[in-house]
Amino acid sequence: MPPGSYTFTITVRPTGGTEPPVTDEARFILSNPSRVDLLLPLDRDDAVNQFPLFQWIFDGSRSRLKIYEKLPGQVSLEETASGVPILQTDVTMTGFQYPSSGVRLLEPGKTYVWYVEGLIRASGGSEQVIPSTLRSFTIAQGPGSASQPSMLDALERALGPQHKPLFEQLRAEGFSSAGTMRLDGARSPASTS
């Protein structure tokens, strides 16, 4: 059976007499954490912003995301992923937004390699690791990779001075955008994706 939530309803009807039937339900959640499939960023994507959203499919409850910088002279993705990750984090979801603070920033023009390990609690309390394939992406540079302050400035100008306290708070808290910004249907020149 495919992974999912299954409900079995059992009804017992007496064969004689006036007693009403008795119904009970049993619910089972089946999972098949046998593989990890990466979704975003796409493989070899060269227009990723500095705060990418990582997404994958895994039918288990925990995953470990690892990101490596591809250094000069490294030829294969495997060679890059054999080094020390610039970010390694355990998550209980199937997505992770690269943080805007507290970690090393991803640099425009540089290529990074990433993969996810599905973590399964095996018998005896041991942990089984199911690795995904390796993928690479490059942080965009040039006009499409404008800095966060210029995006906030463009939004602040568009919305007017009455929102100045909000924009000051966003700057103070290290706001970052993970998508394309559009103003009146047109892509903002300060957009990062």
Side-chain angles (χ1 to χ4, degrees):
M1 295 176 69
S5 177
Y6 294 88
T7 302
F8 296 92
T9 304
I10 302 168
T11 303
V12 177
R13 301 179 197 278
T15 56
T18 58
E19 293 180 26
V22 177
T23 301
D24 199 3
E25 287 186 352
R27 177 164 287 165
F28 298 95
I29 297 176
L30 297 179
S31 63
N32 181 15
S34 60
R35 61 187 266 184
V36 179
D37 294 313
L38 304 181
L39 299 175
L40 294 173
L42 299 173
D43 195 24
R44 294 185 295 275
D45 190 343
D46 62 357
V48 176
N49 70 42
Q50 287 182 283
F51 307 100
L53 174 63
F54 295 88
Q55 291 182 317
W56 58 93
I57 298 171
F58 177 59
D59 200 24
S61 60
R62 286 181 49 240
S63 303
R64 180 173 295 133
L65 169 66
K66 293 183 178 184
I67 304 169
Y68 302 82
E69 179 184 343
K70 189 170 184 186
L71 301 172
Q74 292 180 331
V75 178
S76 69
L77 301 180
E78 292 78 12
E79 183 180 9
T80 301
S82 68
V84 176
I86 62 167
L87 178 77
Q88 175 176 311
T89 185
D90 287 9
V91 294
T92 57
M93 298 179 288
T94 55
F96 179 79
Q97 179 75 53
Y98 198 87
S100 61
S101 63
V103 296
R104 187 172 140 198
L105 292 179
L106 302 178
E107 297 178 46
K110 290 196 175 182
T111 298
Y112 297 88
V113 173
W114 72 289
Y115 75 100
V116 173
E117 296 174 334
L119 306 173
I120 302 171
R121 189 74 62 193
S123 61
S126 64
E127 189 168 74
Q128 182 181 357
V129 176
I130 300 172
S132 71
T133 58
L134 297 171
R135 278 202 179 165
S136 68
F137 63 92
T138 302
I139 302 300
Q141 57 184 358
S145 63
S147 66
Q148 282 313 120
S150 64
M151 283 196 289
L152 285 178
D153 293 343
L155 268 176
E156 186 174 12
R157 282 191 304 274
L159 295 175
Q162 68 269 27
H163 298 287
K164 184 175 179 70
L166 171 65
F167 285 95
E168 288 174 353
Q169 179 183 356
L170 289 172
R171 285 184 187 94
E173 293 178 5
F175 167 82
S176 65
S177 170
T180 301
M181 296 182 69
R182 296 184 182 275
L183 182 60
D184 295 331
R187 184 175 173 158
S188 166
S191 179
T192 60
S193 75

